[in-house]
Amino acid sequence: KDVTQLTAPAPLKILLAPDAGPNVGGGHVMRSLTLAWALVRRGAACRFVVTAPGEDLLRRFAGTAFEVVRISSQAALPTAVAQYRPDGLVLDNYGLDFAFEAGLKRHAGAVLVIDDLANRAHSAHIIADPSYGREPGDYRPLAPKSQILAGPDFALVAQSFSD
């Protein structure tokens, strides 16, 4: 085969959907932004889908580094996911439940939920909870089919703090 005709594989398309707002704060956005930077360093193409408060935070901390799709409410998230059809979907939102996650799985290659409460059922492929003392068993009854990444070994730490 002529190597000049070979093309590099397309980067993984990752869609991140963190919650943000006056009652939630910005921690979900910051965790997702940390993950997005790490994924970009590994060649992924990351895009965010957020409501207005999330967009404001992203612009403040990342400028225009990421494409942002602004939605009016979380109810519009399934439409955005279906349109983008990401290879990976990252959810960081305490208001989403098993049924909502299950509906999104039809439109994404894999779904990762970032959580730190261990208080509700999940349908996601992967649950990441970096809380100190958290163990995979804390999620077994809540997400029996999910891969669990539990404990501080899975903390999302900005590169500026980890180098």
Side-chain angles (χ1 to χ4, degrees), residues 88-104:
L89 173 64
V90 179
L91 303 172
D92 193 343
N93 185 325
Y94 299 143
L96 305 182
D97 62 12
F98 183 94
F100 199 92
E101 291 172 18
L104 295 174

Side-chain angles (χ1 to χ4, degrees), residues 109-134:
V111 176
L112 163 70
V113 166
I114 301 171
D115 190 35
D116 54 14
L117 298 177
N119 67 348
R120 66 196 183 285
H122 291 284
S123 172
H125 299 97
I126 305 167
I127 310 294
D129 183 338
S131 301
Y132 179 77
R134 186 69 72 206

Side-chain angles (χ1 to χ4, degrees), residues 7 11 14 16 20 26-27 39 44 46-47 52 70 98-99 104-105 121-122 131 133-134 158 160 163:
T7 58
I14 307 297
L16 299 102
L39 290 167
C46 293
R47 174 187 289 184
R70 185 171 166 176
F98 183 94
L104 295 174
K105 284 172 70 174
H122 291 284
S131 301
R134 186 69 72 206
S160 59
D163 287 344

Side-chain angles (χ1 to χ4, degrees), residues 21-61:
N23 298 326
V24 179
H28 301 280
V29 169
M30 297 309 292
R31 289 194 295 204
S32 294
L33 190 54
T34 298
L35 178 58
W37 283 120
L39 290 167
V40 164
R41 285 192 301 275
R42 287 163 182 76
C46 293
R47 174 187 289 184
F48 283 82
V49 58
V50 291
T51 56
E55 182 178 16
D56 293 342
L57 281 167
L58 284 167
R59 295 296 181 222
R60 181 171 297 153
F61 290 100

